[in-house]
Amino acid sequence: ALPQNFKRIVESAQFLNLNIFQFVAVGCWSSGFNFYNRLIGTTVPIVVICLSLTTLAQFLPDRKARLNNIAVAITYLTLPTVTTTIFAMFPCDSIDGGQSYLRADYSISCKAEDRMVWQAYGLAMIAVFPLGITLLYCRLLWVDRRKIQLPIEEREKDLELMAEAFLFEPYKPEFWYFEVVETIRRLCLTGVLSAVAPGSFSQLSIGLLMSIFFTTVFCKLEPYHEPRDNKIAILSSWQLVLVFLCSYFMKSASLLTNSVDDSADFEFMGYLLIFSFIAIIILFVIYAIEQKDDFSEDAEEMAERILAEQSKSTMNMSLA
């Protein structure tokens, strides 16, 4: 239950999900393609690629760390989308006449003979992706926790550690574990929430409670090293709370008054959400430009320091 004007903005941004089946209408040129094929096409290639990289790393010791970190980076980029697809494997909708069909694809009967096999595959993929990958992040961060908690300038000298810096670099050293918290947050608000009846009070209530909880965590801890990153994270979390609140109000209003989605009140809430969405994007761009300027200034200062040291060394040599 979202305002139509805001819903159009959200749908136009779906390309960020890195889901090829969203752009390629496979069902148009393959009549046998259904959600089960999509599930296989989403999970198997990632498993094969990651296993190939980690296996290859065993035969290339000099590139082992890099290949393993590439595999971890692939899981990091694809985990939310893959998890959402996996959880969509389970919810079914009952229809008049005692029939039950998969919510994600009404061409699939939930009472088919092969249903148990596909459910078992879905459970196995839950063990591999949302559970297995999260545990993998826990292990990697736990093993290197002492190195990560060193001063930033000191830990940056460890090239092997910095190869997996995307798991900890944005955070303060004392929050070395926070990428696991962020992964759990993303999985809860995507995959887990998608398994609840869409648009129901249950889904909206669970989503609202989870978003408030994680917003409180961000406000209390401020785990990011850069203050600007903390501001972006907190504002984004509050915007998600606002989305769930607006959806909750719309759902309640539609039940009480039988109002339609294009009413003035709903349209106003949609513009409010669009404004908050655009404001966060503008703020992110401004911070990105400032960060680029800061980086340029640091690089310029470093260059000046190197030139000064070289000049001093040259002068000392000439005097000698």
Side-chain angles (χ1 to χ4, degrees), residues 231-243:
K231 293 177 182 178
I232 289 291
I234 292 171
L235 289 175
S236 299
S237 294
W238 276 117
Q239 198 229 12
L240 192 58
V241 172
L242 183 61
V243 168

Side-chain angles (χ1 to χ4, degrees), residues 1-2 7 93 103 193-207 243-244 246-252 254-255:
L2 288 172
K7 191 174 182 179
D93 290 335
R103 183 179 300 155
L193 199 60
S194 67
V196 186
S200 65
F201 277 116
S202 296
Q203 186 190 52
L204 296 177
S205 300
I206 294 172
V243 168
F244 280 112
C246 287
S247 298
Y248 204 95
F249 292 152
M250 286 184 60
K251 180 75 173 179
S252 301
S254 63
L255 292 177

Side-chain angles (χ1 to χ4, degrees), residues 161-170:
L161 176 67
M162 294 308 295
E164 57 186 42
F166 62 91
L167 288 176
F168 62 82
E169 191 172 30

Side-chain angles (χ1 to χ4, degrees), residues 18-160:
L18 298 177
N19 187 353
I20 187 174
F21 298 106
Q22 183 178 311
F23 310 107
V24 182
V26 183
C28 294
W29 49 265
S30 177
S31 58
F33 188 88
N34 58 24
F35 180 81
Y36 291 157
N37 303 119
R38 176 184 171 186
L39 179 65
I40 293 292
T42 303
T43 55
V44 171
I46 297 173
V47 173
V48 171
I49 291 172
C50 291
L51 286 178
S52 299
L53 287 170
T54 53
T55 302
L56 185 61
Q58 303 303 316
F59 297 96
L60 299 173
D62 55 328
R63 298 184 181 180
K64 182 176 180 179
R66 176 176 294 184
L67 291 172
N68 285 335
N69 287 323
I70 291 174
V72 175
I74 291 173
T75 65
Y76 180 83
L77 292 172
T78 58
L79 184 59
T81 300
V82 174
T83 300
T84 301
T85 304
I86 294 172
F87 275 99
M89 173 72 222
F90 300 98
C92 294
D93 290 335
S94 298
I95 301 177
D96 294 340
Q99 296 298 319
S100 179
Y101 296 96
L102 188 67
R103 183 179 300 155
D105 186 349
Y106 271 20
S107 68
I108 297 176
S109 172
C110 290
K111 295 184 178 181
E113 294 181 359
D114 61 347
R115 175 64 178 166
M116 293 293 293
V117 176
W118 286 106
Q119 284 181 320
Y121 180 80
L123 291 173
M125 290 300 100
I126 288 177
V128 171
F129 283 95
L131 295 180
I133 291 176
T134 303
L135 290 175
L136 173 64
Y137 294 168
C138 287
R139 180 185 179 279
L140 292 173
L141 292 170
W142 176 261
V143 170
D144 293 329
R145 67 189 185 282
R146 290 188 175 86
K147 295 180 181 179
I148 297 172
Q149 293 181 75
L150 294 173
I152 295 176
E153 296 78 8
E154 186 174 346
R155 75 185 185 189
E156 286 180 348
K157 298 176 183 178
D158 190 335
L159 298 180
E160 185 176 348

